[in-house]
C-alpha cells in the first residue's frame, strides 16, 4: 500500500508523478473545459483545486512527507475498510441472580415439603409462594413492586389463586391511602407549604435533631386521640410533613444525604407512630384504654427516639443556627401563595374528615348532629383532597404518575395483603393459631409465663401479614380464647393483645430513606425494647391500677 512505502525514493516518485499530472492543467485547458460543458463543472473545480494544492506542495518542501502520508492513507483507506467501533457493553439490568435464586429456592423447598395434617394443598402452596416473595422483598433481586408482581404471577400460574383473587387487594383502602400520601407530599413540596411547616418546626425545635424528632413524635401523640388510625395519621398527615422537613434540612433520597437527618427521622416516626393512644373496635372504654396505656406509652415515646438517636444517629446532631436560618427562610418566602392556601385548605378538609370519621365510628357518637353527613372514610377523604389539588392545578396527574415510589409501594403492599388474606381464607392461619396454642397449653406453665409466650408469638407473627387488620382478624380471637382457657384474666388479655396489635406500621418505609436490611434490623431491636417496656413497665403499672 502507498502508506507503507514512504521511503525517500517513493516520495520523490510519487511527487514526480503527481507533479507531471498537475503540469497538464494549464489555465487555457481549464478555460476550455469550463466553456465546453456545464456538466463537467464539478470535475473542473476538483482539478483546479488539485493544481493549486500541488503547486503549494512544491513550494513547501517541508510538507512533503506529511502531505504524502495523508494522500497515501486516503488511498489505502479505500482498499481496507476501518474496523467498526465497538459499543460499550451495557450493564446487566435484570434481576440480581443470587437473591433471585435464594427467593426461588425458599419457595421450591417449602413447596415440596409434605403438607401437614389439617392444611389444604392450596394453602401450603400459597404459603410457599408467600414466603418466597417475603425473601425476595428482603433480598431485593428486583425492585419491591416487581418482586411482588412475580409472586402474584406465580400464584396465578400455579393456579393457587385465580387472577381476581391474586389482584383483589388492589381494591383494599390501605395501599391506596399510602399511595395517596405520596401525592399529597408532592403538593406539599411543590407549593412550598411543606417547607413553610418544616421551617416552623425548625424555628421552634431545630437547634438539635433530637429536639426536632421529639417535636414530631409528641405532635402525633396529641393528634392520635382524634385520628386513631395509624395509616391515616402517619400516612395521610405526618409522612408528607416529615418528608418536607427532611428536604428542607438538605436530606434527600438517592444522593447520599439520607443519613444526614432523614434516615433517623423516618425510622423514629415509624417506630413511635404506633406507640400513641390508639384504639380498636372492642368493648373497652376509651378512658380505660387511655388509663392503661398512658404510662408505658409515654415511656416508649421518650425511650425509642433516644435509643435510635444512639444506635442510628443522624450525621447532623446539633445546629444552633438552624432556628435563625429557618426564620430567615420564612421571611424570604413571604406571605402564603394561592397554591399554598389551597394546599392548606385541602389538608384541613382531609384532617377534618379523618377526625369526624373516627369520632363517629370509634367513640359511639354516630347520632351527632353532623355525623351522617361527615361519615367519610379516610381513603374517600384523601381522594376528595387529591381531586381538589388536581382540579386547581396544585398537583398535576403527570406529577402523580412520576411518583414511582407510590406506585411501587401500592403494588407490593397490595400483593402481600392479597396473599395473606387468602392464607387466612384457606385456613392456614387458623391451623397455625391452634397449633401454637396447643403447644403452649401443653407446657404446664403458670398463666403469666404462658401469656408471655403467647404475646411473643402473637407479636412476631405479624411479619406474616401486610395488614394490621388482617393480623388482628386472624389471630386476636384465637389467642384471646386460648389465653383465657389457660387462666389469664380475659379483660387484661384483650387489653394487652390490643396494645401489641398497634406496635407495627409500614407507612414510613416507602419514603426510601432507610435500606430494608437496616429497617428490619433496627426494627427488631426496637421491638425488644418495646416488649420490655410494655410487659415490664406496663405490667407494673397494670398491677398498680388493678388490671390483673
Amino acid at each position: 500500500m502507498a502508506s507503507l512505502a514512504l521511503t525517500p525514493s517513493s516520495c520523490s516518485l510519487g511527487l514526480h508523478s503527481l507533479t507531471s499530472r498537475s503540469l497538464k492543467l494549464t489555465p487555457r485547458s481549464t478555460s476550455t473545459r469550463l466553456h465546453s460543458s456545464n456538466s463537467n463543472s464539478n470535475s473542473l473545480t476538483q482539478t483546479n483545486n488539485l493544481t493549486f494544492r500541488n503547486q503549494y506542495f512544491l513550494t513547501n518542501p517541508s510538507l512533503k512527507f506529511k502531505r504524502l502520508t495523508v494522500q497515501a492513507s486516503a488511498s489505502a483507506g479505500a482498499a481496507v475498510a476501518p474496523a467498526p467501533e465497538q459499543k460499550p457493553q451495557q450493564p446487566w439490568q435484570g434481576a440480581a441472580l443470587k437473591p433471585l435464586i435464594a427467593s426461588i429456592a425458599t419457595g421450591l423447598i417449602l413447596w415440596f415439603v409434605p403438607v401437614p395434617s389439617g392444611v389444604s394443598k392450596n394453602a401450603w402452596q400459597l404459603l410457599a409462594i408467600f414466603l418466597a416473595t417475603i425473601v425476595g422483598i428482603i433480598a431485593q433481586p428486583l425492585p419491591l413492586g416487581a418482586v411482588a408482581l412475580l409472586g402474584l404471577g406465580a400464584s396465578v400460574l400455579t393456579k393457587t389463586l385465580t387472577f381476581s383473587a391474586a389482584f383483589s387487594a388492589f381494591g383494599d383502602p390501605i395501599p391506596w391511602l399510602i399511595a395517596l400520601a405520596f401525592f399529597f407530599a408532592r403538593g406539599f413540596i411543590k407549593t412550598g407549604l411543606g417547607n413553610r411547616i418544616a421551617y416552623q418546626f425548625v424555628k421552634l425545635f431545630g437547634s438539635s435533631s433530637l429536639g426536632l424528632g421529639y417535636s414530631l413524635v409528641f405532635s402525633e401523640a396529641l393528634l392520635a386521640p382524634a385520628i386513631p388510625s395509624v395509616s391515616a395519621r402517619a400516612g395521610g398527615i405526618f409522612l408528607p410533613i416529615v418528608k418536607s422537613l427532611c428536604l428542607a434540612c438538605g436530606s434527600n433520597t438517592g444522593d447520599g444525604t439520607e443519613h444526614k437527618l432523614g434516615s433517623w427521622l423516618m425510622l423514629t416516626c415509624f417506630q413511635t407512630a404506633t406507640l400513641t393512644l390508639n384504639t380498636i373496635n372492642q368493648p373497652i372504654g376509651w378512658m380505660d384504654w387511655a388509663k392503661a396505656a398512658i404510662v408505658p406509652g409515654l415511656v416508649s415515646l421518650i425511650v425509642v427516639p433516644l435509643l435510635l438517636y444512639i444506635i442510628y444517629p443522624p450525621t447532623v446532631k446539633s445546629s444552633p443556627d438552624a432556628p435563625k436560618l429557618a426564620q430567615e427562610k420564612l421571611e424570604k418566602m413571604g406571605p402564603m401563595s394561592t397554591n399554598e392556601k389551597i394546599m392548606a385548605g385541602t389538608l384541613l378538609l382531609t384532617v377534618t374528615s379523618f377526625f369526624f370519621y373516627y369520632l363517629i365510628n370509634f367513640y359511639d357518637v354516630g347520632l351527632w348532629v353532623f355525623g351522617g353527613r361527615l361519615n367519610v372514610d379516610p381513603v374517600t377523604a384523601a381522594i376528595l383532597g387529591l381531586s381538589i389539588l388536581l382540579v386547581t392545578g396544585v398537583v398535576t396527574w403527570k406529577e402523580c404518575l412520576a411518583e414511582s415510589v407510590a406506585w411501587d409501594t401500592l403494588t407490593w403492599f397490595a400483593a402481600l395483603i392479597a396473599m395473606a388474606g387468602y392464607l387466612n381464607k384457606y385456613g392456614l392461619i387458623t391451623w397455625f393459631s391452634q397449633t401454637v396454642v396447643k403447644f403452649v397449653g401443653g407446657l404446664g406453665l403458670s398463666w403469666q409465663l404462658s401469656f408471655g409466650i403467647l404475646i411473643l408469638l402473637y407479636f412476631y407473627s405479624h411479619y406474616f401479614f401486610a395488614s394490621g387488620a388482617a393480623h388482628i382478624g386472624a389471630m386476636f380471637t384465637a389467642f384471646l380464647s386460648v389465653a383465657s382457657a389457660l387462666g389469664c384474666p380475659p379483660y387484661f388479655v384483650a387489653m394487652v393483645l390490643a396494645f401489641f396489635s398497634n406496635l407495627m406500621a409500614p407507612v414510613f418505609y416507602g419514603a426510601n430513606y432507610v435500606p430494608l436490611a437496616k429497617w428490619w434490623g433496627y426494627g427488631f431491636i426496637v421491638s425488644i425494647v418495646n416488649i420490655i417496656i410494655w410487659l415490664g413497665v406496663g405490667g407494673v403499672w397494670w398491677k398498680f391500677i388493678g388490671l390483673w
Side-chain angles (χ1 to χ4, degrees):
M1 295 181 186
S3 60
L4 298 178
L6 294 179
T7 60
S9 59
S10 64
C11 288
S12 61
L13 287 174
L15 179 62
H16 177 75
S17 175
L18 191 63
T19 305
S20 63
R21 286 197 300 270
S22 65
L23 291 176
K24 296 178 182 179
L25 301 175
T26 61
R28 180 176 297 177
S29 63
T30 301
S31 175
T32 303
R33 288 185 181 182
L34 180 62
H35 292 288
S36 64
S37 175
N38 291 335
S39 63
N40 294 329
S41 60
N42 288 338
S43 62
L44 171 63
T45 303
Q46 293 175 355
T47 305
N48 232 354
N49 289 340
L50 180 63
T51 301
F52 173 77
R53 288 197 298 268
N54 288 337
Q55 291 173 351
Y56 178 78
F57 189 78
L58 287 171
T59 57
N60 293 272
S62 62
L63 298 178
K64 287 181 182 180
F65 287 98
K66 181 177 180 180
R67 183 63 181 175
L68 285 174
T69 301
V70 173
Q71 296 287 353
S73 298
S75 62
V80 181
E85 294 183 2
Q86 293 184 354
K87 295 182 179 180
Q89 188 175 3
Q90 294 293 330
W92 172 251
Q93 296 182 344
L97 295 182
K98 289 183 178 179
L100 181 64
I101 292 172
S103 176
I104 295 175
T106 300
L108 289 176
I109 291 172
L110 194 61
W111 185 280
F112 292 107
V113 169
V115 180
S117 177
V119 179
S120 66
K121 183 179 179 181
N122 262 9
W124 194 253
Q125 291 177 346
L126 183 57
L127 178 64
I129 297 173
F130 180 76
L131 291 180
T133 305
I134 293 294
V135 172
I137 286 176
I138 297 172
Q140 293 189 50
L142 288 167
L144 300 185
V147 171
L149 196 62
L150 291 179
L152 291 181
S155 65
V156 175
L157 181 65
T158 58
K159 300 188 184 303
T160 304
L161 292 175
T162 63
F163 181 86
S164 58
F167 290 84
S168 59
F170 282 88
D172 190 280
I174 300 301
W176 282 103
L177 186 61
I178 296 173
L180 288 167
F182 285 95
F183 302 151
F184 267 79
R186 171 54 51 193
F188 267 74
I189 296 168
K190 180 182 177 181
T191 62
L193 179 63
N195 281 344
R196 190 179 295 276
I197 295 174
Y199 288 142
Q200 288 288 356
F201 270 100
V202 174
K203 177 183 174 181
L204 297 173
F205 310 103
S207 57
S208 71
S209 299
L210 187 60
L212 195 59
Y214 274 124
S215 69
L216 290 170
V217 167
F218 281 96
S219 296
E220 188 176 355
L222 292 174
L223 195 56
I227 308 175
S229 169
V230 176
S231 299
R233 190 176 65 252
I237 299 172
F238 277 89
L239 177 58
I241 293 175
V242 173
K243 190 171 182 180
S244 297
L245 183 59
C246 294
L247 295 177
C249 294
S251 184
N252 202 354
T253 58
D255 60 1
T257 61
E258 295 91 343
H259 201 52
K260 187 175 181 180
L261 178 65
S263 298
W264 173 78
L265 207 55
M266 288 290 177
L267 196 57
T268 297
C269 290
F270 163 76
Q271 293 296 343
T272 55
T274 53
L275 300 179
T276 53
L277 307 180
N278 295 293
T279 191
I280 59 173
N281 193 14
Q282 296 288 330
I284 299 174
W286 189 86
M287 290 304 298
D288 294 333
W289 172 279
K291 181 180 177 181
I294 188 67
V295 171
L298 288 176
V299 172
S300 293
L301 289 176
I302 295 171
V303 170
V304 170
L306 183 61
L307 172 67
L308 290 172
Y309 191 77
I310 295 172
I311 65 176
Y312 192 54
T315 56
V316 177
K317 297 181 180 180
S318 178
S319 51
D321 295 331
K324 181 180 178 181
L325 292 175
Q327 177 61 35
E328 293 176 357
K329 291 283 187 179
L330 287 170
E331 293 175 355
K332 186 176 181 180
M333 291 183 72
M336 293 179 65
S337 64
T338 302
N339 281 353
E340 278 187 273
K341 292 177 181 178
I342 294 174
M343 187 70 218
T346 304
L347 176 65
L348 181 61
L349 175 65
T350 306
V351 173
T352 303
S353 300
F354 288 176
F355 173 82
F356 284 116
Y357 175 79
Y358 289 105
L359 186 69
I360 292 165
N361 287 279
F362 289 107
Y363 303 149
D364 298 324
V365 290
L367 298 179
W368 198 50
V369 60
F370 295 112
R373 297 182 180 179
L374 297 174
N375 189 11
V376 179
D377 64 87
V379 178
T380 304
I383 292 175
L384 173 62
L386 179 61
S387 300
I388 295 173
L389 298 181
L390 290 172
V391 170
T392 58
V394 174
V395 175
T396 66
W397 182 241
K398 186 176 181 180
E399 290 169 336
C400 292
L401 292 176
E403 288 290 334
S404 58
V405 175
W407 299 109
D408 193 54
T409 304
L410 171 67
T411 302
W412 71 261
F413 201 36
L416 293 186
I417 289 178
M419 285 190 273
Y422 273 87
L423 283 175
N424 187 32
K425 289 183 179 180
Y426 286 165
L428 184 74
I429 302 303
T430 302
W431 168 83
F432 172 75
S433 301
Q434 293 173 350
T435 303
V436 167
V437 296
K438 286 180 181 178
F439 170 76
V440 175
L443 295 177
L445 303 174
S446 64
W447 74 264
Q448 290 90 346
L449 291 177
S450 297
F451 181 64
I453 295 173
L454 288 174
I455 278 292
L456 293 178
L457 292 172
Y458 177 81
F459 177 66
Y460 285 108
S461 67
H462 82 270
Y463 286 105
F464 288 93
F465 299 86
S467 165
H471 176 244
I472 295 170
M475 311 292 281
F476 190 96
T477 303
F479 275 75
L480 176 58
S481 300
V482 173
S484 301
L486 293 174
C488 305
Y491 187 84
F492 167 76
V493 174
M495 190 78 77
V496 178
L497 286 175
F499 291 148
F500 276 79
S501 298
N502 288 285
L503 295 179
M504 59 203 80
V507 177
F508 283 95
Y509 170 71
N512 282 346
Y513 274 90
V514 184
L516 189 61
K518 291 185 177 180
W519 189 271
W520 284 67
Y522 288 111
F524 178 71
I525 295 173
V526 173
S527 72
I528 295 175
V529 174
N530 279 329
I531 290 171
I532 294 173
I533 291 173
W534 284 86
L535 292 184
V537 176
V540 174
W541 172 247
W542 299 328
K543 182 67 173 179
F544 176 76
I545 63 177
L547 198 58
W548 60 278

